Amino acid sequence: MNISPEFQFRAKDTLEAEVRSNFEHTLQRLTELVAIPSVAWEAYDLSQVERSAEKVKELAFAVGFEQVEILTATYGPENTAGMPAVVARKEAAPGHPTILLYAHHDVQPVGNLKEWQTAPFVATRKGDRLFGRGAADDKAGVLAHLAAFEATRTVLGDDFKAGVTLFIEGEEEAGSPSFTNFLNTYRDKLAADVIIVADSSNWQVGVPALTTSLRGVASGTISVRVADHNVHSGVFGGPLLDAHTVMVRTLASLHNSQGSVAVEGLIHAPEPEVEYLEANFRADSGILDSVELAGTDSIASRLWAQPAISIIGMDVPSVETASNTIAATSRAKISVRLAPGSDPAQAHAALENHLKNLDVMGAKVTYTADDSGQPFSTDTSSAGAQLALAAFKESWQVDPVTTGLGGSIPFIADLTEVFPGADILITGIEDPDTRAHSANESLYLPDFEKAILAEALMLAELSASAQ
Ligand SMILES: [Zn+2]
C-alpha cells in the first residue's frame, strides 16, 4: 500500500466540526450500549451478548453501513458455538485500500459491586469522565469506529473511497476462543490493508499513544505432592513439611532477591524509548509508598520488555475453615508475561526445566501448561503506523508516543498470522486512570473525541491515497 508521506489532512476542519456536533449523540449511543451487560463468560446470561450484538448491528446501519451481518464461528473438538460478532462493510473504490476497524462489544464482569460508586451498567457522567462497565473497554472503541465512519461519510460523501470493514467481536474478554476459526472462515470478508484495533490505552490524559509492542502470556499450574494423604499436624508435623510450605518455597524460587524473574531462558527485549516515571507508576498502580519496586532497568523495560511472573491462584484451605492438618498436595496457578520476541512454548519449557532442577527435598513438583498467547511488535516506519502517528498529532496537537503494553491481546497474533501483509495499528481510548476490568471503569471524554477525529482523519487520508 502506498500512502503519501506528506499527509494533508485537508478535510480536518470540517471533520472536526462534524465529530464535535455529533459528540453528544455518540455518547448517547455509548450509553445505550453500556446498558447491556454483555459478559461473554459461560456463568453469565449469554443472551445479553446477543442483545449487544443486535444493538451494534443497529448502530452500524444507523451510521451508514449498507451491509451488516451478525456472524459466529465454532471452536474446540465439540464445535462449540462462539459469541456473535458484527461485521459491516463498505466496499473500496477501485484502487483504494481497505481498513478493518476492530473493537469488542463484550465486557468484563463487574466484580465486587460494593466497590462501584455508580451503577456499572448505567453510563454516568461526572466532570470529564463517563463511568460504567465497558464505557471505555471496549464499547468506546466500538463507538469511536462508528462515529469516525459516520463523520467521514458525511464530510467526504462520494469522495469516501477507502473500503471500511467494521469487525466487532463478542468474546474478547472471554479469551476469544473462536477467533482463529472466525478469521479463517470469514477471511475474504475481513481482508484489509490496514487494521485499526481500538482497544488499548493512550499515554496519559491529553497525550495519545500508538501501542507498538505487547507482551505475550504463558500460564500454567504447579502441583506439589509430599504424601499420599493428609495427616494430623500434631502427630506428624516436624519431619513432614506440608505441601503448602513446599509450594511457597517453590514459588519463592521464581524471583531473585531483587524481585527479578529468576527462571532461566526467558527473553528480554531491547529497552523501550519512552520513560515511564516511577512517580506515575506508583500513582497508576496504587502501590504502597513503603513498597519497593521489583526488578532492574527502567520501569518501561520492566513492564514491556522483560518477563514477569505472578501467582494468580492457589488451592489452599481458607483461613476460616483451617484445621490442624498437614496438606499432602498443593496447587498454584502462575501467569508469565513474555517480552516481544519470546515464544510461549519455549517459556513453558523454561518453567518446566526450572521446576525440575529445584531442590524441594524430593517433593513431587509438576507443571502443566494452560494458556499461551504470542507477543507482538510492530514496525513504526510502516506506512500505516506513520499515518496513525501523524493523525494523532493533527488531532491532539501534541506529539504522540509509541508505547508497549504489559498486557497481552492474544488475538493480535492471529491477525498477524492470517493477514501477514496488513499494518496492525493498536490505538487507545483508555488512559492510565480508566481502570478497565476494575470497579469504577471510566472514559476520559476529551480524549475520546480526539480519538474519533484522529480515526476520521485516517479514513479520509486513505480515501485520498491509491492502493
Ligand atoms: Zn478490551
Side-chain angles (χ1 to χ4, degrees):
M1 193 186 59
N2 210 340
I3 296 172
S4 158
E6 304 260 303
F7 303 110
Q8 305 287 330
F9 299 125
R10 281 196 198 89
K12 187 197 167 187
D13 291 346
T14 36
L15 283 171
E16 189 166 25
E18 187 61 29
V19 169
R20 175 145 304 161
S21 71
N22 238 332
F23 193 61
E24 285 304 320
H25 193 195
T26 298
L27 293 186
Q28 182 50 42
R29 288 167 165 167
L30 177 56
T31 298
E32 289 166 22
L33 208 50
V34 168
I36 305 170
S38 49
V39 180
W41 297 14
E42 234 159 83
Y44 289 78
D45 175 7
L46 296 176
S47 71
Q48 299 294 342
V49 186
E50 315 269 346
R51 270 186 71 211
S52 70
E54 289 293 344
K55 185 79 206 172
V56 172
K57 181 179 171 185
E58 178 193 315
L59 293 174
F61 275 125
V63 300
F65 280 102
E66 280 162 16
Q67 310 167 33
V68 188
E69 300 171 276
I70 293 180
L71 300 171
T72 55
T74 59
Y75 65 95
E78 277 152 41
N79 287 324
T80 313
M83 290 289 110
V86 180
V87 175
R89 301 182 70 207
K90 171 198 166 300
E91 301 292 334
H96 285 269
T98 294
I99 304 103
L100 179 79
L101 306 177
Y102 169 93
H104 59 90
H105 67 89
D106 66 307
V107 294
Q108 282 278 325
V110 296
N112 185 355
L113 204 53
K114 290 194 189 116
E115 290 174 16
W116 284 82
Q117 287 160 6
T118 60
F121 297 110
V122 180
T124 306
R125 202 155 160 177
K126 286 196 208 168
D128 277 338
R129 303 194 78 98
L130 187 74
F131 288 83
R133 171 58 83 233
D137 182 14
D138 189 25
K139 288 173 172 171
V142 176
L143 264 302
H145 293 325
L146 292 169
F149 179 85
E150 187 172 38
T152 311
R153 188 172 169 272
T154 306
V155 169
L156 295 193
D158 290 344
D159 289 332
F160 194 176
K161 301 251 164 79
V164 178
T165 306
L166 180 77
F167 171 26
I168 309 297
E169 193 197 350
E171 56 179 32
E172 198 274 341
E173 303 292 6
S176 304
S178 69
F179 197 82
T180 312
N181 268 356
F182 194 96
L183 290 188
N184 285 312
T185 308
Y186 304 111
R187 178 194 291 257
D188 295 343
K189 284 184 197 287
L190 300 172
D193 303 286
V194 177
I195 300 175
I196 300 178
V197 174
D199 191 18
S200 188
S201 179
N202 282 311
W203 180 236
Q204 350 178 308
V205 157
V207 183
L210 185 67
T211 301
T212 54
S213 81
L214 301 171
R215 283 195 292 195
V217 66
S219 67
T221 304
I222 300 174
S223 303
V224 166
R225 178 175 280 281
V226 296
D228 61 10
H229 59 277
N230 293 353
V231 292
H232 192 288
S233 65
V235 178
F236 295 99
L240 175 55
L241 275 189
D242 66 88
H244 303 312
T245 297
V246 175
M247 176 61 87
V248 168
R249 290 165 72 135
T250 301
L251 297 176
S253 76
L254 299 173
H255 296 89
N256 67 18
S257 58
Q258 278 177 304
S260 295
V261 169
V263 177
E264 303 249 331
L266 297 177
I267 284 171
H268 289 222
E271 180 79 30
E273 280 167 26
V274 278
E275 185 58 46
Y276 193 145
L277 297 176
E278 177 164 343
N280 290 350
F281 179 81
R282 286 187 173 276
D284 295 343
S285 68
I287 189 172
L288 298 184
D289 288 345
S290 62
V291 175
E292 287 171 40
L293 300 189
T296 55
D297 297 331
S298 72
I299 310 259
S301 164
R302 285 180 245 180
L303 286 171
W304 309 329
Q306 295 184 31
I309 300 184
S310 306
I311 294 150
I312 58 171
M314 284 182 82
D315 288 344
V316 293
S318 73
V319 171
E320 275 96 37
T321 62
S323 68
N324 278 318
T325 305
I326 290 182
T329 62
S330 184
R331 284 205 313 168
K333 177 137 181 161
I334 61 169
S335 162
V336 187
R337 297 292 174 172
L338 306 169
S342 312
D343 174 26
Q346 235 170 28
H348 286 304
L351 279 161
E352 210 166 348
N353 199 43
H354 175 89
L355 296 170
K356 202 171 71 197
N357 293 325
L358 215 57
D359 179 8
V360 283
M361 304 164 74
K364 251 190 174 164
V365 177
T366 52
Y367 175 78
T368 316
D370 297 329
D371 296 326
S372 300
Q374 294 283 349
F376 164 81
S377 62
T378 194
D379 175 7
T380 50
S381 67
S382 73
Q386 289 295 309
L387 171 62
L389 292 167
F392 290 172
K393 175 148 195 189
E394 190 73 18
S395 178
W396 267 267
Q397 297 290 310
V398 166
D399 280 328
V401 291
T402 57
T403 66
L405 190 66
S408 312
I409 312 182
F411 69 80
I412 296 286
D414 292 331
L415 285 175
T416 315
E417 205 174 297
V418 179
F419 302 116
D423 285 342
I424 298 180
L425 308 172
I426 304 175
T427 62
I429 25 84
E430 299 172 19
D431 65 86
D433 204 26
T434 286
R435 304 190 190 189
H437 298 201
S438 302
N440 305 310
E441 173 179 348
S442 69
L443 174 71
Y444 182 64
L445 299 174
D447 283 346
F448 180 48
E449 191 178 330
K450 292 190 174 76
I452 296 169
L453 175 60
E455 196 166 301
L457 290 171
M458 291 172 74
L459 295 178
E461 201 67 13
L462 290 166
S463 293
S465 75
Q467 200 167 10

mmCIF file of all heavy atoms in Angstrom, residues 102 104 106 136-139 172-173 198-200 409 411 429-430 436-437, ligand 1:
data_model
loop_
_atom_site.group_PDB
_atom_site.id
_atom_site.type_symbol
_atom_site.label_atom_id
_atom_site.label_comp_id
_atom_site.label_asym_id
_atom_site.label_seq_id
_atom_site.Cartn_x
_atom_site.Cartn_y
_atom_site.Cartn_z
ATOM 1 N N TYR A 102 -11.420 -2.769 14.266
ATOM 2 C CA TYR A 102 -11.732 -3.799 15.266
ATOM 3 C C TYR A 102 -12.021 -3.183 16.637
ATOM 4 O O TYR A 102 -11.333 -2.253 17.087
ATOM 5 C CB TYR A 102 -10.551 -4.781 15.413
ATOM 6 C CG TYR A 102 -10.730 -5.697 16.613
ATOM 7 C CD1 TYR A 102 -11.335 -6.947 16.484
ATOM 8 C CD2 TYR A 102 -10.378 -5.266 17.894
ATOM 9 C CE1 TYR A 102 -11.566 -7.748 17.590
ATOM 10 C CE2 TYR A 102 -10.612 -6.062 19.009
ATOM 11 C CZ TYR A 102 -11.201 -7.307 18.846
ATOM 12 O OH TYR A 102 -11.445 -8.079 19.947
ATOM 13 N N HIS A 104 -14.365 -4.680 20.554
ATOM 14 C CA HIS A 104 -15.215 -5.778 21.043
ATOM 15 C C HIS A 104 -16.375 -5.233 21.858
ATOM 16 O O HIS A 104 -16.243 -4.234 22.559
ATOM 17 C CB HIS A 104 -14.414 -6.821 21.827
ATOM 18 C CG HIS A 104 -13.682 -6.318 23.032
ATOM 19 N ND1 HIS A 104 -14.252 -6.281 24.283
ATOM 20 C CD2 HIS A 104 -12.431 -5.842 23.190
ATOM 21 C CE1 HIS A 104 -13.365 -5.810 25.149
ATOM 22 N NE2 HIS A 104 -12.261 -5.528 24.520
ATOM 23 N N ASP A 106 -18.211 -7.192 24.019
ATOM 24 C CA ASP A 106 -18.396 -7.877 25.306
ATOM 25 C C ASP A 106 -17.564 -7.161 26.366
ATOM 26 O O ASP A 106 -16.651 -6.395 26.030
ATOM 27 C CB ASP A 106 -17.991 -9.348 25.211
ATOM 28 C CG ASP A 106 -16.507 -9.526 24.961
ATOM 29 O OD1 ASP A 106 -15.997 -8.915 23.997
ATOM 30 O OD2 ASP A 106 -15.835 -10.230 25.738
ATOM 31 N N ALA A 136 -15.296 2.381 28.629
ATOM 32 C CA ALA A 136 -14.050 2.507 27.881
ATOM 33 C C ALA A 136 -13.770 1.195 27.141
ATOM 34 O O ALA A 136 -13.811 1.139 25.919
ATOM 35 C CB ALA A 136 -12.904 2.862 28.820
ATOM 36 N N ASP A 137 -13.508 0.138 27.887
ATOM 37 C CA ASP A 137 -13.101 -1.173 27.358
ATOM 38 C C ASP A 137 -14.303 -2.054 27.086
ATOM 39 O O ASP A 137 -14.803 -2.706 27.985
ATOM 40 C CB ASP A 137 -12.144 -1.816 28.359
ATOM 41 C CG ASP A 137 -11.611 -3.162 27.902
ATOM 42 O OD1 ASP A 137 -11.761 -3.482 26.718
ATOM 43 O OD2 ASP A 137 -11.060 -3.888 28.741
ATOM 44 N N ASP A 138 -14.803 -2.185 25.919
ATOM 45 C CA ASP A 138 -14.242 -1.539 24.734
ATOM 46 C C ASP A 138 -15.385 -0.948 23.922
ATOM 47 O O ASP A 138 -15.293 -0.798 22.726
ATOM 48 C CB ASP A 138 -13.466 -2.586 23.935
ATOM 49 C CG ASP A 138 -12.667 -1.984 22.797
ATOM 50 O OD1 ASP A 138 -12.308 -0.793 22.864
ATOM 51 O OD2 ASP A 138 -12.449 -2.682 21.814
ATOM 52 N N LYS A 139 -16.474 -0.625 24.667
ATOM 53 C CA LYS A 139 -17.607 -0.050 23.947
ATOM 54 C C LYS A 139 -17.269 1.346 23.417
ATOM 55 O O LYS A 139 -17.818 1.784 22.405
ATOM 56 C CB LYS A 139 -18.855 -0.074 24.830
ATOM 57 C CG LYS A 139 -19.363 -1.521 24.969
ATOM 58 C CD LYS A 139 -20.467 -1.729 25.932
ATOM 59 C CE LYS A 139 -20.991 -3.178 25.797
ATOM 60 N NZ LYS A 139 -21.936 -3.549 26.861
ATOM 61 N N GLU A 172 -14.026 -11.162 23.448
ATOM 62 C CA GLU A 172 -12.616 -10.849 23.703
ATOM 63 C C GLU A 172 -12.253 -11.079 25.159
ATOM 64 O O GLU A 172 -11.215 -11.652 25.475
ATOM 65 C CB GLU A 172 -12.315 -9.399 23.298
ATOM 66 C CG GLU A 172 -10.831 -9.111 23.122
ATOM 67 C CD GLU A 172 -10.106 -8.727 24.402
ATOM 68 O OE1 GLU A 172 -10.750 -8.336 25.379
ATOM 69 O OE2 GLU A 172 -8.863 -8.822 24.436
ATOM 70 N N GLU A 173 -13.118 -10.622 26.053
ATOM 71 C CA GLU A 173 -12.802 -10.752 27.484
ATOM 72 C C GLU A 173 -12.896 -12.204 27.943
ATOM 73 O O GLU A 173 -12.471 -12.541 29.039
ATOM 74 C CB GLU A 173 -13.732 -9.865 28.321
ATOM 75 C CG GLU A 173 -13.715 -8.389 27.949
ATOM 76 C CD GLU A 173 -12.402 -7.683 28.269
ATOM 77 O OE1 GLU A 173 -11.432 -8.344 28.678
ATOM 78 O OE2 GLU A 173 -12.354 -6.444 28.086
ATOM 79 N N ALA A 198 -8.936 -0.615 18.188
ATOM 80 C CA ALA A 198 -9.143 0.442 19.195
ATOM 81 C C ALA A 198 -9.444 -0.217 20.533
ATOM 82 O O ALA A 198 -10.590 -0.331 20.941
ATOM 83 C CB ALA A 198 -10.289 1.358 18.774
ATOM 84 N N ASP A 199 -8.426 -0.693 21.221
ATOM 85 C CA ASP A 199 -8.652 -1.460 22.453
ATOM 86 C C ASP A 199 -7.464 -1.327 23.389
ATOM 87 O O ASP A 199 -7.134 -2.247 24.121
ATOM 88 C CB ASP A 199 -8.893 -2.939 22.102
ATOM 89 C CG ASP A 199 -9.389 -3.750 23.294
ATOM 90 O OD1 ASP A 199 -9.858 -3.140 24.262
ATOM 91 O OD2 ASP A 199 -9.294 -4.984 23.246
ATOM 92 N N SER A 200 -6.786 -0.159 23.335
ATOM 93 C CA SER A 200 -5.606 -0.031 24.181
ATOM 94 C C SER A 200 -5.676 1.303 24.916
ATOM 95 O O SER A 200 -6.749 1.906 25.027
ATOM 96 C CB SER A 200 -4.349 -0.143 23.309
ATOM 97 O OG SER A 200 -3.198 -0.203 24.110
ATOM 98 N N ILE A 409 -2.761 -9.126 24.074
ATOM 99 C CA ILE A 409 -4.002 -9.221 23.308
ATOM 100 C C ILE A 409 -3.771 -10.416 22.390
ATOM 101 O O ILE A 409 -3.296 -10.254 21.269
ATOM 102 C CB ILE A 409 -4.300 -7.935 22.505
ATOM 103 C CG1 ILE A 409 -4.157 -6.673 23.378
ATOM 104 C CG2 ILE A 409 -5.693 -7.998 21.910
ATOM 105 C CD1 ILE A 409 -4.482 -5.367 22.646
ATOM 106 N N PHE A 411 -5.371 -12.219 20.429
ATOM 107 C CA PHE A 411 -5.887 -12.314 19.067
ATOM 108 C C PHE A 411 -5.058 -11.526 18.064
ATOM 109 O O PHE A 411 -5.151 -11.746 16.868
ATOM 110 C CB PHE A 411 -7.358 -11.871 19.006
ATOM 111 C CG PHE A 411 -7.582 -10.409 19.246
ATOM 112 C CD1 PHE A 411 -7.376 -9.492 18.219
ATOM 113 C CD2 PHE A 411 -7.993 -9.945 20.472
ATOM 114 C CE1 PHE A 411 -7.580 -8.152 18.421
ATOM 115 C CE2 PHE A 411 -8.200 -8.593 20.678
ATOM 116 C CZ PHE A 411 -7.991 -7.689 19.660
ATOM 117 N N ILE A 429 -8.233 4.242 23.576
ATOM 118 C CA ILE A 429 -9.358 5.047 24.043
ATOM 119 C C ILE A 429 -9.299 5.146 25.576
ATOM 120 O O ILE A 429 -10.024 5.913 26.176
ATOM 121 C CB ILE A 429 -10.733 4.519 23.575
ATOM 122 C CG1 ILE A 429 -10.696 3.034 23.293
ATOM 123 C CG2 ILE A 429 -11.220 5.202 22.336
ATOM 124 C CD1 ILE A 429 -10.870 2.205 24.448
ATOM 125 N N GLU A 430 -8.406 4.339 26.181
ATOM 126 C CA GLU A 430 -8.253 4.386 27.645
ATOM 127 C C GLU A 430 -7.128 5.351 28.009
ATOM 128 O O GLU A 430 -6.425 5.862 27.147
ATOM 129 C CB GLU A 430 -7.905 2.986 28.162
ATOM 130 C CG GLU A 430 -8.980 1.964 27.857
ATOM 131 C CD GLU A 430 -8.535 0.540 28.203
ATOM 132 O OE1 GLU A 430 -7.583 0.370 28.987
ATOM 133 O OE2 GLU A 430 -9.153 -0.396 27.670
ATOM 134 N N ALA A 436 -9.855 -0.162 33.507
ATOM 135 C CA ALA A 436 -10.508 -1.246 32.762
ATOM 136 C C ALA A 436 -10.426 -2.513 33.599
ATOM 137 O O ALA A 436 -9.429 -2.729 34.288
ATOM 138 C CB ALA A 436 -9.785 -1.443 31.436
ATOM 139 N N HIS A 437 -11.444 -3.307 33.560
ATOM 140 C CA HIS A 437 -11.541 -4.583 34.292
ATOM 141 C C HIS A 437 -11.775 -4.387 35.788
ATOM 142 O O HIS A 437 -12.012 -5.358 36.506
ATOM 143 C CB HIS A 437 -10.306 -5.493 34.113
ATOM 144 C CG HIS A 437 -10.062 -5.916 32.698
ATOM 145 N ND1 HIS A 437 -9.320 -7.014 32.355
ATOM 146 C CD2 HIS A 437 -10.479 -5.375 31.526
ATOM 147 C CE1 HIS A 437 -9.286 -7.141 31.033
ATOM 148 N NE2 HIS A 437 -9.979 -6.127 30.516
HETATM 149 ZN ZN ZN B 1 -10.651 -4.681 25.661
#
